């Protein structure tokens, strides 16, 4: 969960990105040279409480792996102050602020005191998210893509909740999946594709894109109405 900031991809060697021992071996990817990689922030200290957070999510991950029909009904206790702190440190420092106007640097001034409030409100059911700031990104043919920028505290809570849910849903990812999987991305997919094309007989390659997918999702969400989300 914890990443250093303002650094990007490392030099990736030829490794098998799969993390499931029970599935067939994935394609080995070619070495590629990138820019400097995410390193752990020097201010991040590994404490006993953080170790317990990791162990707790590991148990959730094991349960999701061994019992595919398991229903998880008690996960909120995994959203701890330590997990919220890790989520804060993983945010981009130069990201635009939301409607609250709070930047990463503003939140950095006394994060322990700031994180205590959302943690308490989450666990008593009293937290209400601030509205999302709307921005539009220009696209070809004069179109615009709507972009929602959450408030700083909202981003922290969202990332912490995603970390808990990932412990469950990552176990359902297929070995050749590269989208929305922490530690993988489009470059890894291209590397695997390159190796497959060079090493095996390939007759055709299919490139498919769902036109305006995120635009359609956004329009659907707007039709349903936007409001404050209660955690």
């Amino acid at each position: 969960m914890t990443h250093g900031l303002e650094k990007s991809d490392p030099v990736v060697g030829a490794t098998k990105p799969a993390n499931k021992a029970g599935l067939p071996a994935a394609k080995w990817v070619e070495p590629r040279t990138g820019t400097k990689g995410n390193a752990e922030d020097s201010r991040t200290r590994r404490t006993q409480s953080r170790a317990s957070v990791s162990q707790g999510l590991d148990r959730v991950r094991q349960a999701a792996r061994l019992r595919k029909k398991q229903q998880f009904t008690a996960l909120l206790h995994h959203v701890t102050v330590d997990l919220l702190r890790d989520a804060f440190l993983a945010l981009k420092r130069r990201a635009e602020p939301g409607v609250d106007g709070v930047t990463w640097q503003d939140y950095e001034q006394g994060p322990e005191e700031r994180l205590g409030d959302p943690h308490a409100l989450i666990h008593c059911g009293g937290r209400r998210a601030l509205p999302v700031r709307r921005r539009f990104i220009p696209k070809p043919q004069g179109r615009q893509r709507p972009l929602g920028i959450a408030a700083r505290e909202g981003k922290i809570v969202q990332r912490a909740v995603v970390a808990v849910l990932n412990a469950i849903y990552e176990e359902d990812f297929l070995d050749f999946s590269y989208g929305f999987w922490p530690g993988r991305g489009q470059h890894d997919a291209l590397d695997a594709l390159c190796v497959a094309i060079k090493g095996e007989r390939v007759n055709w390659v299919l490139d498919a894109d769902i036109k305006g997918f995120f635009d359609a999702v956004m329009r659907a969400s707007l039709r349903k109405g936007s409001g404050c989300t209660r955690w």
Side-chain angles (χ1 to χ4, degrees):
M1 268 298 298
T2 305
H3 302 283
L5 303 168
E6 299 183 323
K7 300 179 189 279
S8 40
D9 295 332
V11 175
V12 177
T15 59
K16 185 184 72 171
N19 64 356
K20 293 186 178 181
L23 293 176
K27 300 292 183 185
W28 287 67
V29 297
E30 290 184 332
R32 64 181 175 88
T33 301
T35 51
K36 291 187 178 179
N38 293 338
E40 186 170 327
D41 195 291
S42 59
R43 289 164 295 187
T44 304
R45 298 181 301 275
R46 288 291 165 189
T47 62
Q48 187 173 5
S49 56
R50 289 215 179 154
S52 65
V53 170
S54 178
Q55 291 172 3
L57 292 182
D58 282 343
R59 288 193 292 270
V60 172
R61 190 173 290 107
Q62 285 183 352
R65 183 186 307 122
L66 298 175
R67 297 185 291 276
K68 293 299 183 181
K69 295 184 179 180
Q70 173 80 29
Q71 292 186 352
F72 296 86
T73 58
L75 295 171
L76 194 59
H77 65 281
H78 291 292
V79 181
T80 64
V81 173
D82 287 307
L83 188 59
L84 291 171
R85 185 188 302 109
D86 285 348
F88 164 65
L89 292 172
L91 294 178
K92 295 180 179 179
R93 293 188 181 187
R94 293 193 293 267
E96 290 192 39
V99 295
D100 58 350
V102 177
T103 65
W104 195 97
Q105 289 73 18
D106 294 333
Y107 212 92
E108 188 184 23
Q109 306 301 318
E112 302 302 326
E113 294 77 10
R114 288 180 177 268
L115 291 172
D117 290 336
H119 177 261
L121 290 173
I122 288 170
H123 287 271
C124 73
R127 183 180 185 277
R128 291 186 178 274
L130 291 173
V132 175
R133 178 186 171 195
R134 174 71 68 220
R135 284 286 303 276
F136 290 91
I137 303 174
K139 296 186 66 177
Q141 289 85 43
R143 294 179 299 151
Q144 290 184 320
R145 171 175 291 174
L147 176 67
I149 304 176
R152 184 69 46 183
E153 188 174 282
K155 290 181 180 179
I156 294 171
V157 173
Q158 289 173 15
R159 186 177 284 269
V161 171
V162 166
V164 175
L165 295 180
N166 275 347
I168 300 172
Y169 294 119
E170 281 183 18
E171 298 304 320
D172 295 328
F173 282 7
L174 299 177
D175 198 55
F176 50 79
S177 298
Y178 291 91
F180 304 99
W181 192 341
R184 291 193 183 190
Q186 64 271 29
H187 296 295
D188 301 302
L190 290 173
D191 286 342
L193 180 62
C194 179
V195 172
I197 292 175
K198 289 182 177 180
E200 298 180 7
R201 182 177 179 178
V202 177
N203 295 321
W204 50 269
V205 175
L206 175 63
D207 180 15
D209 184 22
I210 304 176
K211 182 179 179 181
F213 173 75
F214 289 105
D215 296 341
V217 171
M218 185 62 67
R219 285 195 298 270
S221 64
L222 290 175
R223 283 197 298 269
K224 292 181 180 179
S226 59
C228 295
T229 301
R230 182 168 182 171
W231 294 90

